[in-house]
Amino acid sequence: MAKFNINTDISSEELNKSPLRQLWRHFKENHVALVGLWFFIGLTILATLAPVIAPYGVNQQHTDALLLPPSWDDAGDVRFILGTDDLGRDVLSRLINGTTYTFGLAILTALITTLLGVVLGVFAGMSKGVRSSILNHLLDVTLSIPSLLLAIIIIAILGPGLLNTVWAIILALLPQYIHSVRNLVVQELSKDYIIAQWLDGANSWHILSRGIFPNIYEHIVVIFTMSLSTAILDISALGFLKLGAQPPTAEWGAILSENLAFIYLAPWTVALPGILLFFSVLATNLVGDGLRSALKKRKAI
Amino acid sequence: MNKFIFGIAILMLTGCTEQALKNQNSHGLIYCAEANPVSFNPQITTLGSTIDLTSNQLYNRLISIDANTGEFLPELAKSWEISKDRKKITFDLREDVQFHQTDYFTPTRNFNADDVVFTFSRLFDAYNPYHFVGGGQYPYFQSIGLDQLIKSIIKESDYRVSFELFDAQSSFLSNIATDFAIILSAEYAKNLEISETLENLDNYPVGTGPYKFKDYKRDILIRYYKHEQYWKHPVELEQLVYDITPNSTTRIAKMLTHECDVTPHPNSSQLSILASRTDITVQKETNLNIGFWAFNTQKAPFDDSRVRRALAHAIDIEKIMHAVYLDNGKRLESILPNTSWAYQAQVNMPNYNPELARRLLQQAGLIEGFKMDLWAMPVARIYNPNARKMAELIQSDLKKIGITVNIVEYEWNTFIKKLEEHAHDTVLLGWSADTPDPDNFFSPLLSCAAALNGKNAANWCDPEFDLLLSKALDTIEIEQRKEFYFQAQQMVIQELPLLPIAQGMRFQASSTNVENIEIKSFGGVSLAKARKR
Amino acid sequence: MALEYIFRRIILLCFMLLLLSIFTFSLSFLFPGDPLNNLSGVQNISFHESDALSEKYKLGHSILTQYFSFIERISHGDWGISFASQEPIFDHIVALFPATLELALYALLASIIFGIPAGITSAAYYKKWPDKIINTLTLLGYSTPVFWLALLMIMFFCLQLGLLPMSGRVSLLYEIPDVTGFILIDILLSDVSYKFNAFIDAIKHLLLPTIVLSTYPTMVLIRFTRDSMLEVLEKNYIKTARAKGLSRSQLIFRHALRNALLPVIKQIGLQFSTLITLAMITEVIFSWPGIGRWLIDSIYQRDFPAIQGGLLAVSTFIILATVTADLMHSLFDPISRNQTHGKI
């Protein structure tokens, strides 16, 4: 039997919600992705409010309390909920501040990459002929340099440090980004409605802003989340290899590598940053996956 | 029937291979080394990490020092005579010592006086074809002024050799007994001259020691085979392999998984883990060493002694003893450790006084603070188990008086190379004694000669100080020497080219089935008698 | 048709290598320090040496001349001298590359063997419990930082259980002569009494690094295969076949698989770059004596000539590997051969 929608008093606008609201509705139905989103938001808040939330200063050394286990252990102290490291610094405070460095900077990196990537990708997609070829070959060459190697080279040129890591990762993520955006643009360009706009006499800018962009920005958001998770992994990997954040900066990867020496004595100092890293990347991936499937569902309708 | 035979065959195969495995493992020792060796010739370096790998394993010296009594013991020299004016020392050599036979050299004669003459003339004779090979740097011998001391070396007969000195120096025999004064093969040197590959003397070594060189893969391993004709005693191990592992946590992990049988200098924080394992033994020895903070006195503002003094007062050494040495070290009250016979506790050792530090800085006109580099060693040493941690503590202490510290680290051998060029502002370094003679703490570290060849990390040259040192060496009267060394110690604490921090204990971890590893209170480790049960 | 495609690909290859060489060449000037030091590998150039070296590296001439002299040196095997070891960089690379290659190869094989079937299963049982389990595992695998995974494995298998070794390629007491650089082949070729033991030992050493290294590529392949398979399963010809009454396995193995695997093959080619990046981190943690660990050590030691040489070697390899994978892909997929040039 067919289902009837008795909707005479509900305007069509209620039913045909904007694409964004539809997207959100589909996303909401995916409970796991929602959990991911909550965690994501929580991390963002932590990252911005870290100095305020953390109980102690990030470099505050308590010489009377070295290598204390977390407070639920017998030897622990309730002053230091997650224990202290070998210089007497509160693990919880350092981890919270680490959110700013690892997570916060990763978001910054991903945003900058998105901006640059979209601009360059659109440019690459819209251009034709030799210009397009050369740009694409350049892209392919940079794609063939492993991102870590590229980061190492940039750090060799600029010197180690958190800021230079950000540059390095931006430059390493860009080619992949430009590649994807370019493919998206090219795909859209071949569609009928764009050709119709073209024939109508719209110039490039018009086509871009009215035609292509509204249709690809959701994909860009998905790519953003994927590059965000890569950025988190890369920043922490470089911090772990001591090429990125330098002590005493409280970046998660750097904290992990610093505390490796105590892995037998104080395994929590190594376990906790790792777990945090895992969950942040997981949350980002959950959100990204959720967005992707929500997009697919919406398109299917 | 066939299955049965097959089964038996498999069993036998596994049985055979298990035996082969046991054989392979029980006759070889894997030692976790902390860094690549800079050379296989101990003459050209003072780095403990290189000496430990080479000196007592590949070579022998003319004499050695008894760790307990301080007496000289015969090695390649059977006996020796010192002339009345102490300017001529004659050694009678052993006649039964054979050199290594390796892939690249076969000896045709035993060790004799020619080898002694060659070894030492390489050090100071500019006309010796090998003097400039490998850079011409013999840091230990140059710092103690050997080139100005030895007038000539005379071969009296095949097994008798004399050293003629310009001055009678009381530490001469001690220096001949150090790990640096090993004996090379003159015959091998001649062969290399003919084939025009002189660098191989230091890179493909030939000596008389218990092990001979087989292979070296940079950053990976060093392989020694046993020297079948070792003169002193039979060598138990068939193979000695060094697994080059710069990271101290990885070395501990390898001990726990038994991928390494021995590891030197385990990180003090990990000692409890090792001690709690029944299959691992931890050896602990007192050791003559000092860990210090050296200031590059030729660089502003460290050329101002007030600034150096201010920095010394600004740091809390008690905190360092607790966090870095984990209460396994002894705080230093002088540049000499208290086990040295010339030791005198210095009354004006700087104490923790940030107020005084600020006032001194103000006097020097630097009250607003400044930026400086602090170089920290990347490897654990006896005198400093964790330079990085120490640097971080100092960094936070100095921040309180307005000084911003930037911590600089390089790979160990690169680190030392750059230090020799005096590229640093200040550095956390130290010194492990090679002999019990007190001069060993002064000349190689603070003499003008040492400043010239880069070993003086404070880049400090004071002719008055050098004079004190040479006066102390001119006499053999202990009381007289003590007097001079007291004055020298006072001078060091007065001027503070470096701030002595602490003396560490020497630790070594080994699998319980490994025996006879010799670590002494001075000098490098010896695996000559090592064996596996 | 195919010939023209191959020809275009080779032009592309040459162009990419050209760009790579220009980038590598410029590094001598971009890296801190004097270009002459960076080019020659000699750190303390004495006075009279500096003239001779300047002439050799043509520093007085135009950039173009310098570049050509660079290309000439590279093609003759003179890749400079390492600051740290003072030995030719080319020798280092030849000694170390096979170790990385071996590890990467086994990891790639593992990811193909485990990843593709898992992806197919996942797509076949879309939205049922095998799919859900595989999806969850994939998500978890994707989200684990590789160094974290390596540390966990070492903690568990090596330190806790004592089952596997945690560093090197084979126990150091086994002396295996270096023939190909591939440890398993070298052991088989060698003439030692403990051949069997050494082989088992080498496999034990290979196990953990391969598992760690192959995790990320496996996850990517699973996802990709699944997506590609799902897309193919939506196609009309599959629906027709289903309507005709073919069973699920017949559908998958006879019709869908071949088409679904095509983009997967291409994706495998694109994995090389990521694989080498992850291999570098894996090598550091497992002390695997490959080119990745050497490169990371070089940056600690500020060994610029080494970084340059390493970059050239690794990127050239990846470019060659990618183009080969691409050619293989076009071998199986005639449609891609028609794609206009400029796109990969």
Side-chain angles (χ1 to χ4, degrees):
Chain A
M1 274 302 276
K3 208 158 82 164
F4 288 109
N5 272 330
I6 304 178
N7 57 352
T8 41
D9 50 338
I10 304 171
S11 69
S12 57
E13 212 163 292
E14 282 269 345
L15 285 177
N16 298 329
K17 303 213 176 99
S18 76
L20 210 54
R21 310 267 306 262
Q22 288 181 355
L23 191 69
W24 174 239
R25 205 187 62 183
H26 287 291
F27 188 84
K28 255 199 309 185
E29 286 165 8
N30 185 346
H31 294 290
V32 188
L34 261 187
V35 170
L37 186 62
W38 279 124
F39 205 78
F40 190 91
I41 295 179
L43 281 173
T44 323
I45 296 180
L46 263 184
T48 30
L49 292 179
V52 177
I53 297 181
Y56 296 97
V58 69
N59 282 322
Q60 205 179 346
Q61 297 174 4
H62 305 268
T63 30
D64 55 321
L66 299 179
L67 279 182
L68 282 179
S71 54
W72 52 82
D73 186 291
D74 286 332
D77 187 334
V78 80
R79 279 186 302 158
F80 307 106
I81 301 182
L82 290 179
T84 60
D85 67 7
D86 66 316
L87 278 182
R89 298 178 292 200
D90 179 33
V91 171
L92 181 67
S93 309
R94 294 207 95 211
L95 288 180
I96 292 181
N97 276 287
T99 321
T100 323
Y101 294 116
T102 314
F103 195 73
L105 267 180
I107 292 191
L108 192 69
T109 314
L111 277 172
I112 298 180
T113 316
T114 309
L115 211 67
L116 286 173
V118 165
V119 167
L120 288 171
V122 161
F123 184 66
M126 302 281 280
S127 63
K128 302 190 201 315
V130 183
R131 222 171 24 163
S132 159
S133 279
I134 295 190
L135 214 66
N136 295 321
H137 289 339
L138 255 167
L139 254 185
D140 293 338
V141 172
T142 34
L143 267 174
S144 73
I145 303 180
S147 57
L148 188 61
L149 190 50
L150 195 58
I152 288 183
I153 291 176
I154 294 173
I155 287 177
I157 299 177
L158 296 174
L162 204 49
L163 201 60
N164 296 335
T165 316
V166 169
W167 287 126
I169 295 178
I170 291 179
L171 279 167
L173 284 177
L174 258 183
Q176 202 50 279
Y177 224 96
I178 299 179
H179 192 93
S180 311
V181 172
R182 205 209 81 205
N183 284 345
L184 279 172
V185 169
V186 166
Q187 235 178 348
E188 290 299 309
L189 274 179
S190 61
K191 291 212 175 128
D192 291 338
Y193 70 94
I194 298 291
I195 300 183
Q197 276 190 317
W198 205 264
L199 290 173
D200 252 352
N203 66 11
S204 297
W205 178 246
H206 250 126
I207 295 188
L208 251 179
S209 51
R210 303 290 164 79
I212 297 186
F213 223 73
N215 288 299
I216 61 173
Y217 79 89
E218 283 145 349
H219 290 276
I220 294 183
V221 173
V222 174
I223 301 178
F224 169 79
T225 50
M226 298 203 307
S227 64
L228 178 59
S229 66
T230 314
I232 299 177
L233 287 172
D234 281 353
I235 290 183
S236 57
L238 284 173
F240 178 76
L241 290 175
K242 303 199 186 90
L243 292 175
Q246 298 293 296
T249 318
E251 189 268 319
W252 286 338
I255 296 179
L256 221 155
S257 116
E258 257 189 347
N259 291 329
L260 256 189
F262 301 100
I263 197 166
Y264 312 107
L265 281 181
W268 63 90
T269 48
V270 176
L272 289 168
I275 293 178
L276 269 175
L277 265 174
F278 175 66
F279 277 119
S280 357
V281 181
L282 189 64
T284 316
N285 282 334
L286 278 174
V287 171
D289 273 0
L291 275 175
R292 234 175 29 140
S293 32
L295 255 180
K296 254 198 260 177
K297 271 191 264 188
R298 201 200 66 199
K299 288 247 163 93
I301 297 177
Chain B
M1 187 59 191
N2 282 337
K3 275 198 192 159
F4 182 64
I5 296 180
F6 189 66
I8 296 284
I10 293 286
L11 269 174
M12 283 182 63
L13 199 66
T14 38
C16 280
T17 51
E18 254 193 53
Q19 190 56 36
L21 188 67
K22 254 204 213 125
N23 285 341
Q24 190 66 20
N25 279 339
S26 60
H27 290 150
L29 184 85
I30 305 186
Y31 181 105
C32 267
E34 336 146 70
N36 287 309
V38 290
S39 163
F40 284 96
N41 183 347
Q43 287 178 328
I44 71 177
T45 178
T46 56
L47 281 186
S49 50
T50 301
I51 300 295
D52 273 349
L53 307 182
T54 52
S55 182
N56 287 307
Q57 275 63 260
L58 293 170
Y59 300 99
N60 291 116
R61 300 151 288 177
L62 284 176
I63 54 178
S64 62
I65 305 180
D66 184 307
N68 297 320
T69 64
E71 269 176 33
F72 295 113
L73 301 173
E75 261 210 14
L76 291 180
K78 286 193 294 207
S79 59
W80 53 94
E81 295 151 20
I82 310 178
S83 69
K84 268 244 166 60
D85 60 358
R86 288 173 36 244
K87 288 198 196 169
K88 180 163 176 180
I89 297 119
T90 311
F91 293 96
D92 275 306
L93 308 173
R94 292 188 71 103
E95 303 178 19
D96 59 345
V97 178
Q98 297 185 42
F99 278 102
H100 297 149
Q101 178 180 2
T102 62
D103 299 332
Y104 42 88
F105 173 67
T106 309
T108 60
R109 61 162 176 79
N110 278 358
F111 156 75
N112 64 27
D114 283 329
D115 302 305
V116 180
V117 173
F118 165 70
T119 305
F120 287 97
S121 69
R122 179 205 181 164
L123 294 175
F124 66 85
D125 183 359
Y127 291 105
N128 185 304
Y130 279 90
H131 183 74
F132 290 105
V133 170
Q137 291 293 325
Y138 307 102
Y140 183 74
F141 300 106
Q142 282 161 346
S143 312
I144 59 171
L146 194 73
D147 39 352
Q148 268 96 50
L149 181 66
I150 298 188
K151 189 157 94 177
S152 60
I153 311 180
I154 309 162
K155 171 182 170 176
E156 312 261 359
S157 75
D158 267 348
Y159 294 100
R160 204 173 152 82
V161 66
S162 294
F163 287 80
E164 267 181 19
L165 311 176
F166 283 117
D167 291 307
Q169 205 189 60
S170 49
S171 64
F172 179 70
L173 277 183
S174 299
N175 287 323
I176 295 289
T178 59
D179 289 335
F180 313 107
I182 45 87
I183 303 296
L184 304 167
S185 163
E187 191 190 350
Y188 180 49
K190 266 276 138 46
N191 288 1
L192 290 180
E193 264 182 88
I194 297 174
S195 63
E196 288 184 7
T197 47
L198 285 81
E199 333 70 63
N200 286 0
L201 190 71
D202 299 330
N203 297 331
Y204 290 92
V206 168
T208 57
Y211 301 98
K212 57 186 181 186
F213 179 86
K214 178 67 170 87
D215 190 16
Y216 169 48
K217 289 203 182 71
R218 194 160 193 280
D219 294 325
I220 304 179
L221 61 74
I222 306 174
R223 194 186 302 276
Y224 294 157
Y225 281 170
K226 90 172 181 196
H227 180 34
E228 310 271 349
Q229 294 85 26
Y230 186 49
W231 59 272
K232 209 169 184 186
H233 53 71
V235 178
E236 303 266 351
L237 296 172
E238 293 287 330
Q239 266 200 88
L240 176 58
V241 178
Y242 288 95
D243 182 343
I244 299 175
T245 316
N247 185 306
S248 116
T249 313
T250 315
R251 286 202 297 277
I252 303 294
K254 287 191 189 178
M255 283 299 295
L256 296 175
T257 60
H258 292 293
E259 286 171 67
C260 272
D261 297 307
V262 189
T263 183
H265 317 308
N267 207 314
S268 36
S269 57
Q270 290 150 351
L271 284 173
S272 48
I273 302 293
L274 294 171
S276 66
R277 292 269 295 239
T278 48
D279 51 352
I280 296 181
T281 332
V282 177
Q283 270 170 289
K284 181 166 149 174
E285 291 284 329
T286 48
N287 187 277
L288 274 174
N289 64 76
I290 53 170
F292 55 74
W293 184 14
F295 309 104
N296 188 342
T297 56
Q298 298 296 317
K299 247 197 203 183
F302 309 101
D303 49 352
D304 186 339
S305 69
R306 287 171 300 192
V307 175
R308 300 200 291 269
R309 190 145 273 272
L311 290 174
H313 280 290
I315 60 171
D316 185 355
I317 296 188
E318 280 310 313
K319 202 165 56 165
I320 291 179
M321 296 310 296
H322 195 50
V324 177
Y325 291 89
L326 293 183
D327 303 321
N328 268 320
K330 224 180 295 190
R331 186 163 169 178
L332 284 172
E333 300 290 336
S334 166
I335 187 180
L336 291 179
N338 67 352
T339 36
S340 172
W341 55 257
Y343 167 75
Q344 181 194 53
Q346 298 300 308
V347 284
N348 48 353
M349 273 295 278
N351 59 348
Y352 180 45
N353 193 338
E355 270 314 306
L356 180 54
R358 253 186 276 259
R359 265 182 284 139
L360 283 166
L361 277 184
Q362 193 173 38
Q363 279 175 25
L366 286 167
I367 191 62
E368 329 81 49
F370 55 91
K371 274 211 192 120
M372 61 176 262
D373 278 344
L374 176 57
W375 287 41
M377 313 176 287
V379 292
R381 311 306 301 146
I382 306 177
Y383 46 77
N384 191 336
N386 196 336
R388 162 119 260 163
K389 212 93 272 181
M390 200 186 281
E392 288 180 9
L393 288 169
I394 293 180
Q395 186 184 47
S396 106
D397 276 341
L398 288 185
K399 194 159 183 182
K400 298 189 192 134
I401 60 169
I403 301 180
T404 316
V405 170
N406 174 34
I407 303 180
V408 176
E409 252 187 23
Y410 291 104
E411 180 268 336
W412 180 229
N413 294 331
T414 314
F415 187 85
I416 293 294
K417 237 195 293 188
K418 285 189 194 276
L419 275 184
E420 288 174 14
E421 295 159 19
H422 298 303
H424 57 291
D425 283 352
T426 66
V427 60
L428 289 173
L429 203 57
W431 179 259
S432 282
D434 313 288
T435 91
D437 192 307
D439 181 68
N440 195 255
F441 282 98
F442 291 108
S443 293
L445 289 179
L446 290 170
S447 67
C448 289
L452 267 175
N453 71 10
K455 281 323 210 181
N456 183 334
N459 210 353
W460 187 64
C461 175
D462 189 327
E464 264 185 52
F465 185 73
D466 270 21
L467 191 59
L468 271 176
L469 296 184
S470 56
K471 280 203 235 171
L473 289 173
D474 276 340
T475 164
I476 50 169
E477 295 299 317
I478 297 285
E479 289 310 311
Q480 273 194 321
R481 293 188 75 196
K482 260 196 198 170
E483 255 315 302
F484 291 125
Y485 287 128
F486 286 172
Q487 287 182 45
Q489 290 172 71
Q490 280 162 18
M491 208 170 166
V492 172
I493 301 302
Q494 189 73 12
E495 291 296 315
L496 279 183
L498 47 82
L499 173 67
I501 298 183
Q503 171 189 13
M505 305 225 58
R506 182 168 189 156
F507 291 98
Q508 179 144 287
S510 52
S511 291
T512 318
N513 64 342
V514 173
E515 293 176 340
N516 295 341
I517 302 182
E518 262 181 85
I519 48 174
K520 303 175 292 201
S521 66
F522 51 86
V525 71
S526 169
L527 298 169
K529 304 207 188 94
R531 54 192 278 260
K532 256 172 149 177
R533 271 187 277 122
Chain C
M1 194 72 245
L3 222 62
E4 191 200 324
Y5 182 76
I6 295 179
F7 183 64
R8 273 196 308 193
R9 276 304 180 217
I10 296 191
I11 301 272
L12 181 63
L13 174 73
C14 294
F15 190 64
M16 290 213 284
L17 288 176
L18 179 74
L19 286 176
L20 179 67
S21 65
I22 296 181
F23 180 57
T24 314
F25 171 66
S26 63
L27 283 180
S28 310
F29 302 95
L30 286 174
F31 281 147
D34 194 74
L36 192 55
N37 293 81
N38 291 339
L39 280 168
S40 61
V42 181
Q43 274 182 306
N44 293 317
I45 304 181
S46 65
F47 221 46
H48 43 262
E49 267 180 12
S50 117
D51 277 338
L53 280 173
S54 282
E55 199 29 59
K56 175 175 176 194
Y57 294 98
K58 307 245 184 302
L59 272 186
H61 304 244
S62 72
I63 285 280
L64 206 60
T65 327
Q66 291 183 41
Y67 174 67
F68 282 123
S69 124
F70 171 75
I71 297 289
E72 203 190 355
R73 283 198 306 279
I74 299 287
S75 44
H76 283 143
D78 174 12
W79 289 33
I81 300 194
S82 152
F83 278 165
S85 71
Q86 292 294 298
E87 272 163 50
I89 290 177
F90 194 70
D91 294 348
H92 277 296
I93 294 180
V94 167
L96 296 168
F97 214 122
T100 309
L101 212 57
E102 196 177 12
L103 187 61
L105 220 66
Y106 296 147
L108 194 63
L109 273 169
S111 69
I112 294 178
I113 294 176
F114 292 107
I116 295 187
I120 296 176
T121 320
S122 192
Y125 292 96
Y126 183 53
K127 291 249 184 264
K128 310 227 180 56
W129 64 263
D131 183 31
K132 294 205 176 184
I133 293 185
I134 294 182
N135 264 350
T136 318
L137 283 174
T138 315
L139 189 60
L140 293 176
Y142 246 117
S143 312
T144 315
V146 67
F147 55 91
W148 177 231
L149 182 66
L151 282 175
L152 286 176
M153 295 255 149
I154 291 181
M155 282 300 285
F156 189 61
F157 287 103
C158 308
L159 294 170
Q160 196 85 344
L161 294 181
L163 280 180
L164 293 170
M166 55 168 273
S167 73
R169 302 171 84 187
V170 76
S171 165
L172 292 180
L173 291 176
Y174 296 128
E175 215 182 328
I176 312 285
D178 205 12
V179 177
T180 60
F182 286 75
I183 192 82
L184 291 183
I185 301 181
D186 281 344
I187 292 179
L188 292 173
L189 288 176
S190 74
D191 191 22
V192 290
S193 57
Y194 38 76
K195 205 149 134 174
F196 183 67
N197 286 336
F199 196 80
I200 301 289
D201 195 62
I203 300 254
K204 278 198 199 169
H205 277 90
L206 264 173
L207 210 59
L208 279 186
T210 310
I211 293 178
V212 168
L213 187 54
S214 62
T215 304
Y216 189 79
T218 312
M219 302 300 143
V220 169
L221 270 185
I222 294 180
R223 278 223 165 164
F224 210 79
T225 313
R226 177 179 179 270
D227 285 350
S228 168
M229 186 60 119
L230 283 176
E231 213 179 285
V232 166
L233 285 174
E234 289 292 305
K235 291 260 161 67
N236 288 328
Y237 60 89
I238 296 292
K239 292 194 179 151
T240 318
R242 187 107 169 101
K244 279 210 246 165
L246 286 177
S247 75
R248 181 189 277 148
S249 57
Q250 276 178 317
L251 262 177
I252 292 181
F253 287 111
R254 273 208 280 186
H255 295 280
L257 195 63
R258 186 145 188 250
N259 295 306
L261 281 185
L262 287 173
V264 173
I265 296 182
K266 185 145 142 196
Q267 183 67 10
I268 294 179
L270 291 176
Q271 284 300 340
F272 280 115
S273 187
T274 326
L275 207 60
I276 298 284
T277 298
L278 295 174
M280 289 169 80
I281 304 177
T282 312
E283 281 180 20
V284 169
I285 302 184
F286 285 100
S287 302
W288 192 264
I291 207 164
R293 189 182 77 152
W294 178 69
L295 270 169
I296 295 195
D297 279 344
S298 299
I299 174 118
Y300 288 148
Q301 297 170 47
R302 310 279 188 270
D303 190 345
F304 301 123
I307 299 178
Q308 249 182 310
L311 166 69
L312 196 59
V314 172
S315 296
T316 309
F317 168 72
I318 293 181
I319 291 179
L320 286 171
T322 318
V323 171
T324 315
D326 208 46
L327 281 173
M328 297 232 329
H329 172 238
S330 65
L331 205 71
F332 293 116
D333 182 9
I335 298 179
S336 69
R337 296 184 210 152
N338 287 332
Q339 285 186 339
T340 49
H341 90 131
K343 293 190 191 172
I344 239 199

